[in-house]
Amino acid sequence: QEAYHQQHRSHSSRPGQPVSHVIDASVACKWYLDEIDSDKARALAARQGLLIAPDLILPEVGNVLWRLHRLG
């Protein structure tokens, strides 16, 4: 397991600086919905560091939430 963490550890060009993460709508939706890996998405949001998202993330998340609401 330690080898996995070493391989997948985020790297920053400046040690001690917060790491940036790029997220998409599927991650953002997990912040509001109870789905598989929602706990991981919420933990990512709680970390220090910058979260970067595409310009269309708000309409994409809104569309997912609207569709789920209509489906009941």
Side-chain angles (χ1 to χ4, degrees), residues 44-60:
L44 177 64
R47 281 187 187 164
Q48 273 193 338
L50 181 65
L51 296 179
I52 302 168
D55 291 338
L56 292 176
I57 193 164
L58 291 178
E60 289 175 350

Side-chain angles (χ1 to χ4, degrees), residues 18-36:
V19 176
S20 299
H21 295 281
V22 179
I23 61 158
D24 66 1
S26 66
V27 173
C29 285
K30 290 178 188 304
W31 295 339
Y32 302 100
L33 305 171
D34 288 323
E35 300 181 330
I36 296 172

